[in-house]
Amino acid sequence: MAANTYSCPITELEAAALKNLLEERNWEFSSLPYARFKASGDKVNVVVYESGKLVVQGKGTEEFILFTLEPEILHTFTYAGNSAAAADPEEMTTHGGIDESGKGDFFGPLVIAGVIVTPDSAPRLRELGVCDSKKITSSEKIIRLAGKIRELSPGRFSTVTLMPETYNRLYTSIGNLNRLLAWGHARVIENMLEYNPDCPRMLSDKFGDEQLIRRALMERGRQIKLDQMVRAESDVAVAAASILARDGFLAGMKKLSGIAGRELPKGAGPQVKLFAGELLAANSPELFRKIAKLHFKTWAEISNP
């Protein structure tokens, strides 16, 4: 059973950073005697006392510590609690993780990355604050963590970046996003196994039939144990891969923004559609082959209004 109460010391700078972060995420603030502030979020309350003590309470305590407090404020990963990651002994064995970034973004590349962890590197990555990249809102932190992951994993990581021109060509040929993802996952696995042939297992988030990846693997990759699971980013290897993939996506977006002459937005929502329509009005459709994924509904809506 997950812990519902947690306390630890917190510095003034950390407390200020925490308050700013919670304000940005629209937590509800209230006053409390002897407290610098009290904030309430989804299933969790946070109190920072004037004494320098932080108290977290509620059903969401463990999730808050693992995915917000430690990686974004304290920059540690020492909380054990009863989390699945902490309780799973397989996480600390040699295995690889694969994840992707950009598949839901109209603009930008699709980046697939993989990291192999060892009994030595896995706990060190956790101590650095490696977690699911979707839990990290700071681009600067993604870039910094990606550098640390590469330092701790020499020869044990791979990144495949499909910039939009290549992505659009492959999608036209393959005709299905899950098959394209499987092809990318397979290339990353094969790249890592070239230098780590004894790695026994690979883990990825579940996005389709496992056989899609197996069919895309070459002979070496077909010998490995391949697992898929929902929310695989809870595993440190997949979490590390998600950060490398996000780092690659951010780098790709920066390059493509230069081509477009303006900063490209992320996602595929109404604001992205509005931006894309304005960009198309001022440029030729050819530009979009270089900066956007053309099978998205967004393209059909702005090119054939």
Side-chain angles (χ1 to χ4, degrees), residues 261-272:
R262 62 183 80 179
E263 185 176 355
L264 298 173
K266 302 177 183 70
Q271 293 302 315
V272 173

Side-chain angles (χ1 to χ4, degrees), residues 30-48:
S30 58
S31 59
L32 192 70
Y34 308 108
R36 293 184 61 176
F37 66 85
K38 176 183 178 182
S40 300
D42 183 25
K43 299 179 183 177
V44 63
N45 295 314
V46 171
V47 180
V48 174

Side-chain angles (χ1 to χ4, degrees), residues 99-112 134 167 177-178 180-181 246 249 253 265-270 272-273 291-293 295-298:
D99 201 20
E100 71 283 328
S101 182
K103 72 177 180 180
D105 296 85
F106 175 59
F107 292 111
L110 172 67
V111 183
I112 302 164
K134 292 188 287 296
Y167 177 97
L177 179 56
N178 280 349
L180 179 54
L181 283 169
R246 192 63 179 173
F249 175 77
M253 285 290 277
K266 302 177 183 70
V272 173
K273 178 183 174 182
I291 64 173
K293 303 177 183 76
H295 70 89
F296 272 48
K297 179 175 65 174
T298 307

Side-chain angles (χ1 to χ4, degrees), residues 73-134:
I73 303 299
L74 303 181
H75 305 299
T76 61
F77 203 106
T78 58
Y79 175 76
N82 293 294
S83 66
D88 184 2
E90 284 199 323
E91 182 181 74
M92 298 300 157
T93 63
T94 298
H95 69 286
I98 309 99
D99 201 20
E100 71 283 328
S101 182
K103 72 177 180 180
D105 296 85
F106 175 59
F107 292 111
L110 172 67
V111 183
I112 302 164
V115 177
I116 292 175
V117 301
T118 66
D120 177 61
S121 69
R124 295 173 69 187
L125 290 170
R126 281 300 192 196
E127 289 169 7
L128 284 172
V130 168
C131 64
D132 181 3
S133 64
K134 292 188 287 296

Side-chain angles (χ1 to χ4, degrees), residues 35-74:
R36 293 184 61 176
F37 66 85
K38 176 183 178 182
S40 300
D42 183 25
K43 299 179 183 177
V44 63
N45 295 314
V46 171
V47 180
V48 174
Y49 288 96
E50 293 172 354
S51 63
K53 180 181 180 181
L54 166 70
V55 177
V56 184
Q57 293 180 311
K59 291 183 178 179
T61 292
E62 186 167 290
E63 181 177 356
F64 174 78
I65 295 168
L66 292 176
F67 300 121
T68 300
L69 180 63
E70 290 202 329
E72 299 197 52
I73 303 299
L74 303 181

Side-chain angles (χ1 to χ4, degrees), residues 68-276:
T68 300
L69 180 63
E70 290 202 329
E72 299 197 52
I73 303 299
L74 303 181
H75 305 299
T76 61
F77 203 106
T78 58
Y79 175 76
N82 293 294
S83 66
D88 184 2
E90 284 199 323
E91 182 181 74
M92 298 300 157
T93 63
T94 298
H95 69 286
I98 309 99
D99 201 20
E100 71 283 328
S101 182
K103 72 177 180 180
D105 296 85
F106 175 59
F107 292 111
L110 172 67
V111 183
I112 302 164
V115 177
I116 292 175
V117 301
T118 66
D120 177 61
S121 69
R124 295 173 69 187
L125 290 170
R126 281 300 192 196
E127 289 169 7
L128 284 172
V130 168
C131 64
D132 181 3
S133 64
K134 292 188 287 296
K135 302 289 185 179
I136 303 174
T137 58
S138 166
S139 297
E140 291 75 14
K141 184 171 182 183
I142 288 288
I143 295 167
R144 179 176 63 80
L145 279 175
K148 294 291 186 181
I149 291 166
R150 287 187 282 264
E151 286 178 15
L152 283 172
S153 312
R156 299 195 302 274
F157 66 89
S158 175
T159 304
V160 170
T161 300
L162 302 179
M163 296 299 273
E165 282 187 291
T166 302
Y167 177 97
N168 290 325
R169 185 172 64 251
L170 284 172
Y171 188 90
T172 299
S173 173
I174 295 173
N176 178 280
L177 179 56
N178 280 349
R179 289 194 180 94
L180 179 54
L181 283 169
W183 176 88
H185 278 61
R187 297 290 74 74
V188 166
I189 291 171
E190 293 284 351
N191 290 345
M192 292 194 294
L193 289 178
E194 183 176 355
Y195 298 100
N196 304 272
D198 295 330
C199 180
R201 181 172 68 100
M202 293 285 174
L203 175 65
S204 73
D205 204 33
K206 189 167 182 61
F207 62 83
D209 188 344
E210 177 188 315
Q211 292 305 313
L212 288 176
I213 299 180
R214 290 208 172 275
R215 284 195 291 267
L217 285 166
M218 291 179 279
E219 183 176 351
R220 183 189 292 114
R222 288 174 185 157
Q223 311 306 314
I224 200 168
K225 182 182 179 185
L226 182 62
D227 293 327
Q228 285 185 305
M229 73 177 194
V230 177
R231 292 188 291 277
E233 296 89 347
S234 63
D235 176 89
V236 68
V238 181
S242 78
I243 290 172
L244 290 192
R246 192 63 179 173
D247 179 59
F249 175 77
L250 292 172
M253 285 290 277
K254 183 177 181 180
K255 181 177 180 179
L256 295 174
S257 292
I259 293 173
R262 62 183 80 179
E263 185 176 355
L264 298 173
K266 302 177 183 70
Q271 293 302 315
V272 173
K273 178 183 174 182
L274 178 63
F275 175 95

